[in-house]
Amino acid sequence: MRDAKRFIIAFTYLSIVIALGLFVYFTFIKAPETCGDGKKNQNETGIDCGGVCTTVCEENVVGEALEIKEVAFVSGGVGVYDVLSKVYNPNDEIGALSFQYVFILKDASGNILAEKSGTSFILPQETKSLMELNIPLTGVPATVTFTASNAEWKRFSGYQDKPQINIYQRRYDQISSGAGFGEAYGLVSNESPYDFRSLSVKVILRDEAGKLLAVNMTEMRSVKANEERDFRLLWPAAFPGTVATVEMEADADIYNSDNFMQQHLPGGKFQEFSK
């Protein structure tokens, strides 16, 4: 009987000590759970997002790997070369707001002559041309390789459609007199409701067999909705072969919010974007 009383007294005393300890810990020591403590607590579905937090958790989007459709190089003049790759995004609703790429030029012995890297973006179901121009080389290239990596995937949303940017009146002419060897012309038409700060225009020339002959590109600034603007690209140095096909592409980075100036809405209204 005495042992039972001792046990009850000891248990009661220990319970009081534990209760007081927990009270002190949760009241004065432990930091309160918040939506900015860098932890997944409360009823959050992610770290500091979802549940009681107003911040929506970002979706972890994973897309199928980009497919390399073509890699080639051509002479861009004395001692310089141009490289081209065509990349395809097989995903239906997922694009890459950013990915890294590397061109590597090698000689016949496998020695690396030059490496050229960069970053780009790609929309769902898009075939995109990537090119680097005027790469100086001390040797003669025999092969070129291309790799794409570190894609930051994002579900395509927030836009009615892909940007409608078309090129009309396409043509290529060889220069018979004056400076230069050849020149390409086109009329860029921004048929989307957005004013873009920057558009890129790329031109690819091929012979009848589809062999790459030459490439070139330019950038247009502040292209407004429904605006048409012509361009001219010059090849100062001669290249072998006869041009039979002229490919032209124009695109705008819609994943970069800074590339939008404003959106035109029905009734003559427009939506300003941050500058």
Side-chain angles (χ1 to χ4, degrees):
M1 188 69 176
R2 183 177 299 176
D3 291 339
K5 288 183 178 180
R6 289 178 179 176
F7 174 78
I8 293 172
I9 293 171
F11 179 78
T12 302
Y13 176 78
L14 181 61
S15 298
I16 293 173
V17 171
I18 292 174
L20 287 173
L22 291 174
F23 174 78
V24 171
Y25 174 75
F26 283 104
T27 304
F28 301 103
I29 300 176
K30 182 179 183 296
E33 296 177 345
T34 68
C35 292
D37 56 13
K39 300 177 181 178
K40 182 181 178 182
N41 45 32
Q42 306 178 91
N43 67 339
E44 300 165 7
T45 55
I47 297 177
D48 295 335
C49 64
V52 298
C53 300
T54 57
T55 303
V56 179
C57 295
E58 292 187 7
E59 181 185 9
N60 182 24
V61 180
V62 179
E64 293 184 38
L66 300 176
E67 300 176 7
I68 313 304
K69 296 298 185 181
E70 179 183 9
V71 184
F73 70 89
V74 292
S75 174
V78 179
V80 296
Y81 288 83
D82 303 330
V83 290
L84 167 74
S85 178
K86 281 190 174 287
V87 182
Y88 172 65
N89 178 10
N91 299 285
D92 292 329
E93 299 178 351
I94 298 172
L97 59 87
S98 176
F99 67 91
Q100 298 174 350
Y101 65 84
V102 180
F103 287 97
I104 300 179
L105 287 156
K106 297 181 181 180
D107 63 17
S109 299
N111 300 310
I112 296 177
L113 300 177
E115 293 188 21
K116 197 70 175 181
S117 61
T119 60
S120 188
F121 66 97
I122 192 166
L123 302 178
Q125 290 290 310
E126 180 182 20
T127 299
K128 190 181 190 71
S129 296
L130 298 169
M131 56 181 69
E132 297 287 342
L133 308 180
N134 300 318
I135 303 173
L137 298 181
T138 56
V140 178
T143 61
V144 60
T145 59
F146 176 89
T147 56
S149 61
N150 298 328
E152 188 175 352
W153 298 109
K154 186 176 182 64
R155 194 169 300 281
F156 188 79
S157 61
Y159 308 98
Q160 294 294 328
D161 297 292
K162 297 178 183 178
Q164 295 299 310
I165 306 170
N166 297 306
I167 302 178
Y168 302 104
Q169 301 178 16
R170 309 179 181 205
R171 76 178 192 273
Y172 168 82
D173 296 322
Q174 190 167 326
I175 300 173
S176 57
S177 61
F181 174 75
E183 53 190 357
Y185 303 87
L187 181 69
V188 174
S189 177
N190 179 13
E191 298 168 11
S192 73
Y194 301 101
D195 293 349
F196 293 108
R197 299 187 190 280
S198 175
L199 300 179
S200 65
V201 178
K202 301 168 187 176
V203 177
I204 302 169
L205 306 179
R206 302 181 188 273
D207 63 15
E208 288 187 356
K211 179 183 177 182
L212 182 67
L213 298 179
V215 296
N216 211 336
M217 63 181 176
T218 188
E219 188 174 2
M220 292 184 172
R221 297 286 186 175
S222 301
V223 182
K224 296 183 178 181
N226 301 314
E227 180 182 1
E228 293 184 342
R229 191 182 301 178
D230 58 7
F231 67 89
R232 174 177 176 264
L233 286 174
L234 178 69
W235 282 267
F239 52 81
T242 302
V243 175
T245 303
V246 181
E247 300 175 12
M248 295 185 178
E249 298 178 14
D251 62 357
D253 188 354
I254 62 172
Y255 287 120
N256 180 7
S257 60
D258 290 336
N259 199 31
F260 294 95
M261 292 190 293
Q262 63 184 20
Q263 177 187 6
H264 294 259
L265 303 174
K269 300 179 181 180
F270 61 87
Q271 171 68 47
E272 286 282 356
F273 292 88
S274 61
K275 294 180 173 57

Short mmCIF file of all heavy atoms in Angstrom, two decimals, residues 71-73 81-83 102-116 135-147:
data_model
loop_
_atom_site.label_atom_id
_atom_site.label_comp_id
_atom_site.label_asym_id
_atom_site.label_seq_id
_atom_site.Cartn_x
_atom_site.Cartn_y
_atom_site.Cartn_z
N VAL A 71 22.09 18.76 -86.36
CA VAL A 71 23.27 19.50 -85.92
C VAL A 71 24.19 19.65 -87.13
O VAL A 71 24.50 18.66 -87.81
CB VAL A 71 24.03 18.80 -84.78
CG1 VAL A 71 25.19 19.67 -84.31
CG2 VAL A 71 23.11 18.46 -83.63
N ALA A 72 24.62 20.88 -87.42
CA ALA A 72 25.46 21.10 -88.60
C ALA A 72 26.29 22.37 -88.41
O ALA A 72 25.99 23.20 -87.55
CB ALA A 72 24.60 21.22 -89.86
N PHE A 73 27.32 22.50 -89.23
CA PHE A 73 28.13 23.71 -89.22
C PHE A 73 28.44 24.11 -90.66
O PHE A 73 28.45 23.29 -91.58
CB PHE A 73 29.43 23.52 -88.43
CG PHE A 73 30.43 22.60 -89.09
CD1 PHE A 73 31.38 23.08 -89.99
CD2 PHE A 73 30.42 21.23 -88.81
CE1 PHE A 73 32.30 22.23 -90.59
CE2 PHE A 73 31.32 20.38 -89.41
CZ PHE A 73 32.27 20.88 -90.31
N TYR A 81 33.22 30.15 -88.25
CA TYR A 81 32.21 29.17 -88.62
C TYR A 81 30.91 29.46 -87.87
O TYR A 81 30.91 30.07 -86.80
CB TYR A 81 32.70 27.76 -88.30
CG TYR A 81 33.78 27.29 -89.24
CD1 TYR A 81 35.11 27.65 -89.02
CD2 TYR A 81 33.49 26.51 -90.35
CE1 TYR A 81 36.12 27.24 -89.89
CE2 TYR A 81 34.49 26.09 -91.22
CZ TYR A 81 35.79 26.47 -90.98
OH TYR A 81 36.78 26.08 -91.86
N ASP A 82 29.81 29.01 -88.48
CA ASP A 82 28.48 29.12 -87.88
C ASP A 82 27.95 27.72 -87.59
O ASP A 82 28.20 26.79 -88.38
CB ASP A 82 27.51 29.83 -88.82
CG ASP A 82 27.98 31.22 -89.22
OD1 ASP A 82 28.69 31.87 -88.42
OD2 ASP A 82 27.65 31.65 -90.34
N VAL A 83 27.24 27.55 -86.50
CA VAL A 83 26.68 26.25 -86.13
C VAL A 83 25.17 26.36 -85.97
O VAL A 83 24.64 27.42 -85.61
CB VAL A 83 27.31 25.69 -84.83
CG1 VAL A 83 28.75 25.30 -85.07
CG2 VAL A 83 27.21 26.71 -83.70
N VAL A 102 25.12 23.35 -75.49
CA VAL A 102 26.55 23.47 -75.80
C VAL A 102 26.81 22.90 -77.19
O VAL A 102 26.39 21.77 -77.50
CB VAL A 102 27.43 22.71 -74.78
CG1 VAL A 102 28.91 22.87 -75.14
CG2 VAL A 102 27.18 23.22 -73.36
N PHE A 103 27.48 23.69 -78.05
CA PHE A 103 28.03 23.21 -79.31
C PHE A 103 29.51 22.93 -79.10
O PHE A 103 30.22 23.74 -78.47
CB PHE A 103 27.90 24.28 -80.41
CG PHE A 103 26.51 24.50 -80.94
CD1 PHE A 103 25.73 25.54 -80.45
CD2 PHE A 103 25.99 23.70 -81.95
CE1 PHE A 103 24.45 25.76 -80.94
CE2 PHE A 103 24.72 23.92 -82.45
CZ PHE A 103 23.95 24.95 -81.95
N ILE A 104 30.00 21.81 -79.66
CA ILE A 104 31.43 21.50 -79.60
C ILE A 104 31.90 21.15 -81.01
O ILE A 104 31.39 20.22 -81.64
CB ILE A 104 31.73 20.32 -78.65
CG1 ILE A 104 31.28 20.66 -77.22
CG2 ILE A 104 33.22 20.00 -78.67
CD1 ILE A 104 31.51 19.54 -76.23
N LEU A 105 32.86 21.92 -81.51
CA LEU A 105 33.46 21.68 -82.83
C LEU A 105 34.79 20.95 -82.64
O LEU A 105 35.62 21.36 -81.82
CB LEU A 105 33.68 23.00 -83.55
CG LEU A 105 32.43 23.69 -84.10
CD1 LEU A 105 32.66 25.18 -84.24
CD2 LEU A 105 32.02 23.08 -85.43
N LYS A 106 35.00 19.88 -83.43
CA LYS A 106 36.23 19.10 -83.35
C LYS A 106 36.85 18.95 -84.73
O LYS A 106 36.15 18.99 -85.75
CB LYS A 106 35.95 17.71 -82.77
CG LYS A 106 35.43 17.72 -81.35
CD LYS A 106 35.20 16.32 -80.83
CE LYS A 106 34.67 16.31 -79.41
NZ LYS A 106 34.46 14.94 -78.91
N ASP A 107 38.18 18.74 -84.76
CA ASP A 107 38.85 18.48 -86.03
C ASP A 107 38.80 17.00 -86.35
O ASP A 107 38.19 16.20 -85.62
CB ASP A 107 40.28 19.02 -86.01
CG ASP A 107 41.16 18.34 -84.96
OD1 ASP A 107 40.79 17.25 -84.46
OD2 ASP A 107 42.22 18.90 -84.63
N ALA A 108 39.46 16.59 -87.43
CA ALA A 108 39.41 15.20 -87.88
C ALA A 108 40.05 14.24 -86.88
O ALA A 108 39.75 13.05 -86.87
CB ALA A 108 40.09 15.07 -89.25
N SER A 109 40.93 14.75 -86.02
CA SER A 109 41.59 13.91 -85.02
C SER A 109 40.83 13.85 -83.71
O SER A 109 41.26 13.19 -82.77
CB SER A 109 43.02 14.42 -84.77
OG SER A 109 43.79 14.38 -85.96
N GLY A 110 39.71 14.55 -83.66
CA GLY A 110 38.91 14.55 -82.44
C GLY A 110 39.29 15.61 -81.43
O GLY A 110 38.75 15.64 -80.32
N ASN A 111 40.20 16.49 -81.82
CA ASN A 111 40.60 17.57 -80.92
C ASN A 111 39.52 18.67 -80.90
O ASN A 111 38.98 19.03 -81.96
CB ASN A 111 41.93 18.17 -81.36
CG ASN A 111 43.05 17.16 -81.36
OD1 ASN A 111 43.25 16.46 -80.38
ND2 ASN A 111 43.78 17.07 -82.48
N ILE A 112 39.25 19.17 -79.73
CA ILE A 112 38.24 20.24 -79.60
C ILE A 112 38.82 21.56 -80.09
O ILE A 112 39.86 22.01 -79.62
CB ILE A 112 37.76 20.37 -78.15
CG1 ILE A 112 37.04 19.10 -77.70
CG2 ILE A 112 36.84 21.59 -77.99
CD1 ILE A 112 36.59 19.12 -76.25
N LEU A 113 38.14 22.15 -81.05
CA LEU A 113 38.56 23.43 -81.59
C LEU A 113 37.84 24.60 -80.90
O LEU A 113 38.41 25.67 -80.73
CB LEU A 113 38.29 23.50 -83.10
CG LEU A 113 39.00 22.45 -83.96
CD1 LEU A 113 38.57 22.59 -85.41
CD2 LEU A 113 40.50 22.61 -83.83
N ALA A 114 36.59 24.39 -80.54
CA ALA A 114 35.83 25.46 -79.90
C ALA A 114 34.60 24.88 -79.22
O ALA A 114 34.04 23.86 -79.66
CB ALA A 114 35.42 26.52 -80.91
N GLU A 115 34.19 25.52 -78.14
CA GLU A 115 32.93 25.22 -77.46
C GLU A 115 32.13 26.52 -77.36
O GLU A 115 32.69 27.57 -77.06
CB GLU A 115 33.17 24.68 -76.05
CG GLU A 115 33.82 23.31 -76.01
CD GLU A 115 33.86 22.74 -74.61
OE1 GLU A 115 33.05 23.20 -73.76
OE2 GLU A 115 34.70 21.86 -74.35
N LYS A 116 30.85 26.42 -77.65
CA LYS A 116 29.98 27.59 -77.58
C LYS A 116 28.72 27.19 -76.83
O LYS A 116 28.01 26.26 -77.24
CB LYS A 116 29.62 28.08 -78.99
CG LYS A 116 29.08 29.49 -79.05
CD LYS A 116 30.15 30.53 -78.74
CE LYS A 116 29.61 31.93 -78.92
NZ LYS A 116 30.64 32.95 -78.64
N ILE A 135 32.09 31.94 -85.04
CA ILE A 135 32.97 31.31 -84.06
C ILE A 135 34.38 31.22 -84.65
O ILE A 135 34.59 30.55 -85.67
CB ILE A 135 32.48 29.90 -83.71
CG1 ILE A 135 31.03 29.95 -83.18
CG2 ILE A 135 33.39 29.24 -82.69
CD1 ILE A 135 30.41 28.59 -82.97
N PRO A 136 35.37 31.90 -84.06
CA PRO A 136 36.73 31.86 -84.63
C PRO A 136 37.42 30.52 -84.35
O PRO A 136 37.37 30.01 -83.23
CB PRO A 136 37.43 33.01 -83.90
CG PRO A 136 36.69 33.15 -82.61
CD PRO A 136 35.26 32.77 -82.88
N LEU A 137 38.06 29.96 -85.38
CA LEU A 137 38.77 28.69 -85.24
C LEU A 137 40.17 28.80 -85.83
O LEU A 137 40.37 29.47 -86.85
CB LEU A 137 38.01 27.56 -85.94
CG LEU A 137 36.60 27.21 -85.44
CD1 LEU A 137 36.04 26.05 -86.24
CD2 LEU A 137 36.61 26.87 -83.97
N THR A 138 41.12 28.10 -85.23
CA THR A 138 42.48 28.06 -85.76
C THR A 138 42.70 26.83 -86.63
O THR A 138 43.68 26.75 -87.36
CB THR A 138 43.50 28.05 -84.62
OG1 THR A 138 43.22 26.96 -83.74
CG2 THR A 138 43.42 29.35 -83.82
N GLY A 139 41.77 25.87 -86.56
CA GLY A 139 41.86 24.68 -87.38
C GLY A 139 40.62 24.51 -88.23
O GLY A 139 39.73 25.36 -88.25
N VAL A 140 40.55 23.37 -88.93
CA VAL A 140 39.41 23.08 -89.81
C VAL A 140 38.50 22.08 -89.10
O VAL A 140 38.93 20.96 -88.77
CB VAL A 140 39.87 22.51 -91.16
CG1 VAL A 140 38.67 22.17 -92.03
CG2 VAL A 140 40.79 23.50 -91.87
N PRO A 141 37.25 22.41 -88.84
CA PRO A 141 36.35 21.48 -88.15
C PRO A 141 35.92 20.32 -89.04
O PRO A 141 35.75 20.47 -90.25
CB PRO A 141 35.16 22.36 -87.77
CG PRO A 141 35.14 23.42 -88.82
CD PRO A 141 36.58 23.68 -89.16
N ALA A 142 35.74 19.16 -88.41
CA ALA A 142 35.26 17.98 -89.12
C ALA A 142 33.90 17.54 -88.60
O ALA A 142 33.08 17.01 -89.36
CB ALA A 142 36.26 16.83 -88.99
N THR A 143 33.63 17.78 -87.31
CA THR A 143 32.37 17.38 -86.71
C THR A 143 31.90 18.44 -85.72
O THR A 143 32.70 19.25 -85.22
CB THR A 143 32.49 16.04 -85.95
OG1 THR A 143 33.44 16.18 -84.90
CG2 THR A 143 32.91 14.92 -86.90
N VAL A 144 30.62 18.41 -85.44
CA VAL A 144 30.05 19.26 -84.40
C VAL A 144 29.03 18.45 -83.62
O VAL A 144 28.28 17.65 -84.19
CB VAL A 144 29.39 20.53 -85.01
CG1 VAL A 144 28.26 20.17 -85.96
CG2 VAL A 144 28.87 21.45 -83.89
N THR A 145 29.04 18.60 -82.31
CA THR A 145 28.06 17.94 -81.46
C THR A 145 27.25 19.01 -80.71
O THR A 145 27.70 20.15 -80.54
CB THR A 145 28.74 17.01 -80.43
OG1 THR A 145 29.64 17.78 -79.62
CG2 THR A 145 29.50 15.91 -81.14
N PHE A 146 26.07 18.60 -80.26
CA PHE A 146 25.19 19.52 -79.55
C PHE A 146 24.52 18.78 -78.42
O PHE A 146 24.05 17.65 -78.60
CB PHE A 146 24.12 20.06 -80.51
CG PHE A 146 23.09 20.94 -79.86
CD1 PHE A 146 23.28 22.30 -79.74
CD2 PHE A 146 21.91 20.39 -79.35
CE1 PHE A 146 22.33 23.12 -79.14
CE2 PHE A 146 20.95 21.20 -78.74
CZ PHE A 146 21.17 22.57 -78.64
N THR A 147 24.48 19.39 -77.24
CA THR A 147 23.78 18.81 -76.10
C THR A 147 22.88 19.88 -75.47
O THR A 147 23.23 21.06 -75.45
CB THR A 147 24.75 18.28 -75.03
OG1 THR A 147 25.64 19.34 -74.62
CG2 THR A 147 25.57 17.12 -75.57
#
